[in-house]
Amino acid sequence: MKIHLRFKERMHEMDTSGDRLISEIQDVLGLTEYEAKIYLALAVHGRMTVSEISKLSGVPRAKCYEVLSGLVLKGLVVIAGSKPTKYEPLPLKEGFENRIAQMRGEIEMKAARSKLLIEDISKLKRGDFPRREVRVMILEGHDAIVASSINDASNAREEVLIALSSAPIKFEWKFYLPKLTKALLRGAKFRFLVPSISEFIGRIRNITVGVENPQAELRSSRRLKVPFMVIDRRITYLYITDPSLGVITMAIRIVDKNFGEQVRDIFGELWKLARPYNPSGDQVSEQAY
């Protein structure tokens, strides 16, 4: 109760109702009203339980879990303890930078896709829309590449095959992997071919939390030089990397079932040669794979 009153007093000092701050947070960070209220409460007070967050923000407790998951996915909040589960905001500057980078990537992705959409609508208007067309899109810029890749993968309905190269590429998996949970809940199967199982197993477990019978498999291989991803046998991403800079410089997004099937077959062959994940912990050198 004391915490609740202190927060209300702070809000009164900053703004009579707090509506202005909440509205600005919504506009700048692209949040819903509930997300803005909870984020502001966490930003002012710090680490709290769901019960405390609900009381301070005025958001119904039943809604808090969904809203907090959204804030975690948007790189603004992290889970910071269990029994009971607590949440805390990232440092303000870091959180804002995370979210702005996501929004920038989403805008760049939409801008690139809008060109294809304009072409498709124009063709349909002229009556010459083809029955089958291979669609190729070049994506440049880390944020645009990541936003497009995660968006397609999270909308998968059947399977997602992700093959990563051994080149050291900077990629904020802790922010992006949770978005794949939506596809897992839908029943999509995931296969990850990674350079090192030990580095990824914890991250994979995180996205399967709360998913009944999650379909996610993991194997390791250091053979791969060019990372790629195949979604529902139809959408393929080929990634061009610069190991010296540790970044993805370009991606080729190809929408074509025939091509997707061929790349899927390549993934299948690599999968057979890869080292399976062994939950028992028996030590097998990953170098051999």
Side-chain angles (χ1 to χ4, degrees), residues 275 278 281-285:
R275 175 198 175 202
N278 186 354
D282 294 342
Q283 297 299 312
V284 180
S285 173

Side-chain angles (χ1 to χ4, degrees), residues 145-160:
I145 292 169
V146 170
S148 180
S149 302
I150 296 299
N151 179 69
D152 282 335
S154 65
N155 287 316
R157 296 190 173 278
E158 297 178 13
E159 68 173 10
V160 179

Side-chain angles (χ1 to χ4, degrees), residues 213-232:
N213 299 319
Q215 301 294 308
E217 297 180 74
L218 186 67
R219 290 191 179 186
S220 71
S221 172
R222 295 184 178 275
R223 299 171 182 270
L224 199 63
K225 302 303 179 185
V226 178
F228 64 89
M229 176 168 65
V230 184
I231 303 165
D232 289 342

Side-chain angles (χ1 to χ4, degrees), residues 139-206:
L139 295 168
E140 295 183 287
H142 180 271
D143 294 337
I145 292 169
V146 170
S148 180
S149 302
I150 296 299
N151 179 69
D152 282 335
S154 65
N155 287 316
R157 296 190 173 278
E158 297 178 13
E159 68 173 10
V160 179
L161 310 177
I162 299 176
L164 304 180
S165 67
S166 55
I169 302 299
K170 181 181 178 182
F171 195 88
E172 296 292 344
W173 287 103
K174 63 181 178 181
F175 294 129
Y176 298 116
L177 274 179
K179 293 191 176 184
L180 304 183
T181 302
K182 184 171 70 171
L184 281 169
L185 288 168
R186 197 183 294 116
K189 298 179 180 179
F190 279 77
R191 284 186 177 182
F192 296 89
L193 195 57
V194 300
S196 172
I197 288 179
S198 59
E199 293 179 9
F200 271 82
I201 187 61
R203 296 165 182 167
I204 303 305
R205 284 174 179 158
N206 286 340

Side-chain angles (χ1 to χ4, degrees), residues 82-101:
S82 59
K83 297 181 180 180
T85 300
K86 293 185 178 181
Y87 294 83
E88 70 178 9
L90 271 70
L92 286 174
K93 187 173 185 293
E94 182 181 350
F96 270 64
E97 287 176 350
N98 286 341
R99 181 57 184 149
I100 295 301

